Amino acid sequence: PIPFIQANHTDAFIAINSGDTLTITAGLAAKAYAGSNADWWAAASTQDGAWYYFDYLHAPAQWRPGLAVTWQGPIFNLSATDLLTISNLAPGTYTFYFGVDTVMDSQVTMDRLFYDTVVVTIH
């Protein structure tokens, strides 16, 4: 699978002001893994080591503190989907992650993880 994640429609490092709008978008090309079960991960880390994850398992879908699986199920083609749109984010550097791992066990299995990242600095 080939995941992608973008900040404000770019996959390169970006820097924006706190009052600017940040939109995080993710997608996935399933390729030969289509239909294989997987853990889906959408997460963010801050420069001080805090983690947040996008929780799609429990309604309403939203970002929550910590690190947990976003969703579990078959890999499929996911067109570009907005995961976050926010303004007035606290200043700092954030790394956003999106990917799937093909061991569906709610654990990050690094040698089976396919992921992409994007880094955002908020001034």
Side-chain angles (χ1 to χ4, degrees), residues 6-103:
Q6 298 178 329
N8 290 358
H9 307 291
T10 183
D11 55 6
F13 166 86
I14 66 166
I16 62 174
N17 294 317
S18 178
D20 294 345
T21 299
L22 172 65
T23 300
I24 300 297
T25 305
L28 180 73
K31 302 287 186 176
Y33 287 85
S36 299
N37 283 330
D39 287 335
W40 292 62
W41 301 92
S45 63
T46 66
Q47 64 191 18
D48 63 1
W51 282 91
Y52 297 86
Y53 72 101
F54 187 71
D55 182 0
Y56 192 77
L57 291 174
H58 306 97
Q62 63 184 315
W63 287 88
R64 300 181 191 273
L67 182 60
V69 68
T70 293
W71 185 73
Q72 293 179 302
I75 294 174
F76 58 88
N77 291 323
L78 177 67
S79 59
T81 301
D82 290 348
L83 299 179
L84 176 69
T85 300
I86 190 170
S87 299
N88 299 315
L89 196 58
T93 300
Y94 300 81
T95 303
F96 292 89
Y97 304 82
F98 177 70
V100 294
D101 82 58
T102 57
V103 177

